[in-house]
Amino acid sequence: MMLKVTTAADLQTERLELEADAVVVGSGAGGAVMAYELAAAGKRVVVLEAGPYVPSSRFNEKFPDMLELLYEEHGNQANKAGDLLVLQGRCLGGSTVVNGCVAFRVPDFILEKWGREFGLTNLTPESLAPYFDKVERNLSIHTNQPHEINRNSQKLQAGAETLGWSVKPLNRNIRDCALTGHCLSGCKTDRKQSMLVTYLPWASHYGAKIYSDTRVTRILAEQEHGQVNAQANRYGKVQGVEAETIDPLTGRKVADVRVKAPLVVAAAGAVQTPLLFLHSQLGNASGQVGRNFACHPSTMIVAEFAEEIFTWQGAMLGVYVDEFEHPDKGGFVLEGGGAGPVELGMATEPGTGAAYLDFMSRAKHYASCVSLIHDHNVGRVSLVDGQKRIEYAIDERDFPAIKAAFKAAARIYFAAGAERVFLPTGDKWVIESVEQIDAVVDPIENHPFALRMVSYHPQGTMRMGSDPARSVVNPYGESHQVKGLFVSDASLFPTSIIVNPQESVYALSHYIAEHILARAEHYFA
């Protein structure tokens, strides 16, 4: 499927001036949904995406190649310490193009916490249900059927059931899955219902103009009463954005872009959205822009079985263990996630030389799962000398949950018949029997590079709340300070939501779009 997209190669001018009713910054889960909803309502919409337009015909199912092509910083975006990769899609469609398809609604206990602690009493399971229902229909979100649960996930399921622990098939936004296991490299057959093949084409059908290779550098806002109110850092209303179109092959600027619009929606993700606000020096009277970063630091636990597993064959993600999902029970989930031989080696410490060859020679016997924890919002995204900085370290309050996840995974795998379990630690830690679990896991200490971690779920840097002193945007995603300036991505989340966030972003974006359209005369007059 080819989209109607204006790329850097298409521009024949060094300065592009556009006018629209709304400009959407970012084309991922939040931006694409917002663009479609506004365009379908008859609004003139411009979508600006910093990444390239990469049609699925260019996906070659080789993960290292796709990291280079489709991910932020070619897959090398990391925290300041360098011990946590923060993976985000940087392409048209954003992270929805390269995620594992897993779809969860925000857990009810999380919404209850948001209402109680952040004044988001408008966001309840009942009020959001119609929006979740809508995206689940639109994106073919369904519960994995038996043929979608591969040998890898069957091991996790069998072990959990033996222990009497709750385990369920995952929901995924995919249509007639080809079961190739290459989700993180983009879906070559367009079966993954990413924004690239759903909401962006739909928005284009209704007239939305989509520009790739175009990085927004500043949000423009009219000063209140003609001057900045320095004490409140308050502006009257948004006016549009400035951007640059960059040739992705040479890095050369092709054109300066300016879009005049009475409504701006920032949906560039939990790293780039706060950076845009900071660059623009807007909306930060609370001092909360870029703060409260969380990311579900994920680790992969690998187990070896006597029989062949081929963890990389079949649907990448099949089942999950939610026995410990609630913070009162541990605050973590385990998902049966497959991986290729190289990724299995990266997740553990296989050694070098003969040790590495021995580990890899047994790769077809390994099963793997990933852990997600309900981490505290202790991180920060900031500008230092004009450069991005992601500060995040595992909080001491969160480290017990990580170790508990290791123990739970090990118990599950041994219950399923595993011979040994490899832990995702900087040093080599292997559990040879169920009796060794506590003795091996308990001594692990929380320090940089102690664990091999990656994050696919950055969130929380533009906190939503009713109190302007403690949040960046109001309960409907609008800046407390700038009229017509909205945020619609995972940066809105006041806390981490413990589960994969894409469906929650879809639903919230629908919700915010409906709020905007219900007050159209307020924003578009």
Side-chain angles (χ1 to χ4, degrees):
M1 177 187 294
M2 294 298 293
L3 258 176
K4 188 177 181 180
V5 180
T6 300
T7 70
D10 298 321
L11 291 183
Q12 302 298 316
T13 178
E14 294 182 354
R15 183 159 188 85
L16 186 63
E17 299 277 351
L18 303 170
E19 287 194 21
D21 295 317
V23 56
V24 179
V25 183
S27 63
V33 168
M34 180 64 67
Y36 164 72
E37 288 292 312
L38 297 181
K43 302 305 176 187
R44 296 173 302 157
V45 176
V46 169
V47 179
L48 302 179
E49 168 59 52
Y53 170 38
V54 185
S56 55
S57 59
R58 292 181 60 193
F59 302 162
N60 67 7
E61 299 184 341
K62 296 178 181 178
F63 189 48
D65 290 349
M66 295 302 98
L67 277 174
E68 286 279 342
L69 182 63
L70 301 174
Y71 285 73
E72 182 69 32
E73 291 190 27
H74 310 294
N76 292 312
Q77 180 174 258
N79 63 343
K80 179 185 175 184
D83 65 344
L84 173 71
L85 282 177
V86 182
L87 295 179
Q88 291 179 290
R90 190 180 187 275
C91 57
L92 198 68
S95 295
T96 71
V97 174
V98 295
N99 68 22
C101 307
V102 172
F104 281 98
R105 297 188 178 197
V106 183
D108 290 355
F109 67 85
I110 295 291
L111 291 176
E112 292 166 5
K113 180 181 179 71
W114 290 359
R116 184 174 63 251
E117 297 184 11
F118 302 98
L120 300 181
T121 54
N122 57 313
L123 302 181
T124 65
E126 295 73 26
S127 68
L128 290 179
Y131 305 96
F132 281 118
D133 290 341
K134 184 176 184 178
V135 300
E136 287 168 2
R137 290 192 303 270
N138 287 349
L139 298 177
S140 300
I141 294 175
H142 71 284
T143 301
N144 277 337
Q145 298 303 296
H147 73 281
E148 295 174 281
I149 299 173
N150 66 0
R151 184 68 172 157
N152 182 64
S153 278
Q154 289 171 10
K155 285 297 184 183
L156 190 71
Q157 183 174 18
E161 289 175 347
T162 297
L163 295 170
W165 291 351
S166 177
V167 57
K168 299 181 177 73
L170 285 161
N171 292 336
R172 297 189 301 148
N173 61 316
I174 198 159
R175 181 175 294 171
D176 299 325
C177 183
L179 307 177
T180 63
H182 293 293
C183 293
L184 302 186
S185 298
C187 186
K188 191 172 182 64
T189 59
D190 286 341
R191 297 169 192 246
K192 181 195 300 186
Q193 299 300 284
S194 74
M195 299 299 93
L196 187 62
V197 299
T198 55
Y199 278 87
L200 289 173
W202 302 342
S204 179
H205 171 78
Y206 283 104
K209 307 300 183 185
I210 303 172
Y211 294 80
S212 66
D213 309 319
T214 303
R215 181 176 66 91
V216 176
T217 56
R218 190 159 72 100
I219 300 168
L220 305 173
E222 177 186 61
Q223 297 177 3
E224 189 178 52
H225 306 305
Q227 62 180 357
V228 179
N229 182 334
Q231 183 175 2
N233 189 24
R234 184 177 178 83
Y235 288 69
K237 59 183 179 180
V238 77
Q239 292 183 312
V241 301
E242 291 178 345
E244 296 177 338
T245 299
I246 306 294
D247 184 331
L249 298 178
T250 66
R252 182 180 62 86
K253 182 168 72 171
V254 172
D256 291 304
V257 180
R258 185 183 179 102
V259 185
K260 182 180 179 182
L263 190 95
V264 173
V265 181
V271 175
Q272 286 71 31
T273 289
L275 292 178
L276 178 57
F277 270 62
L278 293 171
H279 273 297
S280 305
Q281 298 183 341
L282 282 176
N284 196 23
S286 65
Q288 295 299 300
V289 171
R291 295 186 180 273
N292 311 304
F293 175 81
C295 61
H296 297 160
S298 177
T299 59
M300 178 177 286
I301 300 98
V302 177
E304 183 177 354
F305 289 84
E307 68 266 36
E308 296 178 348
I309 305 295
F310 294 104
T311 182
W312 53 86
Q313 292 184 352
M316 180 181 174
L317 288 144
V319 303
Y320 72 109
V321 176
D322 64 341
E323 177 76 17
F324 308 96
E325 179 181 29
H326 196 283
D328 291 344
K329 296 189 68 177
F332 66 89
V333 296
L334 299 171
E335 297 180 356
V342 174
E343 289 78 24
L344 290 169
M346 291 171 62
T348 67
E349 175 45 70
T352 59
Y356 182 78
L357 292 174
D358 178 64
F359 180 89
M360 285 300 182
S361 71
R362 293 177 281 124
K364 61 186 178 182
H365 294 273
Y366 299 144
S368 59
C369 69
V370 294
S371 65
L372 302 178
I373 68 164
H374 182 46
D375 56 325
H376 288 77
N377 297 66
V378 298
R380 183 181 183 184
V381 175
S382 61
L383 284 171
V384 179
D385 296 328
Q387 300 300 310
K388 170 178 63 180
R389 175 179 289 178
I390 303 172
E391 297 175 76
Y392 183 88
I394 300 296
D395 192 81
E396 288 297 334
R397 294 169 293 177
D398 295 330
F399 202 65
I402 291 177
K403 293 170 70 170
F406 291 170
K407 290 183 177 183
R411 293 187 190 284
I412 287 170
Y413 280 134
F414 282 121
E419 295 181 338
R420 62 185 56 82
V421 173
F422 302 89
L423 296 181
T425 45
D427 297 325
K428 189 170 186 175
W429 294 78
V430 181
I431 306 174
E432 300 287 353
S433 68
V434 68
E435 291 79 18
Q436 290 184 0
I437 293 175
D438 289 345
V440 174
V441 175
D442 285 345
I444 300 173
E445 297 180 350
N446 183 18
H447 58 76
F449 297 97
L451 305 176
R452 295 164 182 255
M453 301 181 295
V454 65
S455 166
Y456 294 94
H457 305 154
Q459 54 198 279
T461 51
M462 302 290 288
R463 177 172 278 172
M464 176 190 281
S466 61
D467 183 357
R470 300 178 56 231
S471 57
V472 180
V473 298
N474 70 18
Y476 299 94
E478 186 173 16
S479 166
H480 285 298
Q481 302 161 253
V482 184
K483 176 183 174 182
L485 176 55
F486 283 81
V487 175
S488 183
D489 56 33
S491 66
L492 289 173
F493 298 169
T495 68
S496 76
I497 65 169
I498 201 171
V499 293
N500 307 58
Q502 69 164 331
E503 186 181 350
S504 300
V505 176
Y506 297 140
L508 276 175
S509 191
H510 270 292
Y511 178 83
I512 294 168
E514 185 174 281
H515 169 83
I516 292 170
L517 292 170
R519 294 155 185 80
E521 73 286 349
H522 183 67
Y523 297 112
F524 303 112

